[in-house]
Amino acid sequence: MPVSGLAPYDDANIFARILRGEIPNRTVYEDEWVLAFHDINPQAPTHVLVIPKGKYVSFADFSTKASEAEIAGMIRAVGKVAQMLGLEEPGYRLLANLGEHGGQEVPHFHVHIFGGRPLGRMVMPA
Ligand code: AMP
């Protein structure tokens, strides 16, 4: 069942297709819980997406339905990928777009990692 009125998980979404190997991706990290790959339309010198392998649409969906191991796996992977990309010392930004007002385009929960230049303050203009 969807959380907070969101649509149910759509198996045809582009990240589901990437996870099934139907669409290529530039993988930077993969483990039991997540896949991390370069965004196809980068908004910063480094722009990587980290997605859980489980079928979750939203943050509410993920945080309420995922197992503790999946949640830990996702959080640990985001930190690990940022470190692997050399972003720990200069710093970086994490972002998750959720729902309509959040501008979420792909209905599979994901975290963006941006880095490689000073990113300014907070929310970018629409
Ligand atoms: P959003 O749902 O708003 O957080 O954004 C989805 C992100 O997925 C955008 O930054 C897109 O550029 C990115 N994206 C869409 N299709 C692909 C793809 N095939 N490979 C990598 N990134 C993608």
Side-chain angles (χ1 to χ4, degrees), residues 29 34-37 48-52 73-74 77-78 81 109-113:
Y29 176 77
V34 308
L35 180 67
F37 51 96
V48 165
L49 302 169
V50 184
I51 71 175
M74 177 73 179
V78 169
V81 170
F109 172 57
H110 53 280
V111 171
H112 296 253
I113 301 177

Side-chain angles (χ1 to χ4, degrees), residues 14-15 18-19 24-30 34-40 47-51 81 106 110-111 113:
I14 195 125
F15 293 170
I18 285 174
L19 285 169
N25 74 89
R26 291 173 55 217
T27 299
V28 298
Y29 176 77
E30 181 171 13
V34 308
L35 180 67
F37 51 96
H38 290 282
D39 195 290
I40 205 167
H47 184 175
V48 165
L49 302 169
V50 184
I51 71 175
V81 170
V106 179
H110 53 280
V111 171
I113 301 177

Side-chain angles (χ1 to χ4, degrees), residues 10-11 15 24 35-37 42 45 48 58 71-72 87-88 91 97 102 106 117 122-123 125-126:
D10 173 9
D11 274 308
F15 293 170
L35 180 67
F37 51 96
V48 165
S58 67
I71 293 171
L87 299 177
E88 198 59 42
N97 295 320
V106 179
R117 65 166 167 79
M122 304 298 281
V123 179

Side-chain angles (χ1 to χ4, degrees), residues 40-64:
I40 205 167
N41 183 23
Q43 304 296 308
T46 300
H47 184 175
V48 165
L49 302 169
V50 184
I51 71 175
K53 289 189 169 175
K55 299 180 180 185
Y56 305 103
V57 176
S58 67
F59 191 77
D61 210 9
F62 183 67
S63 61
T64 58

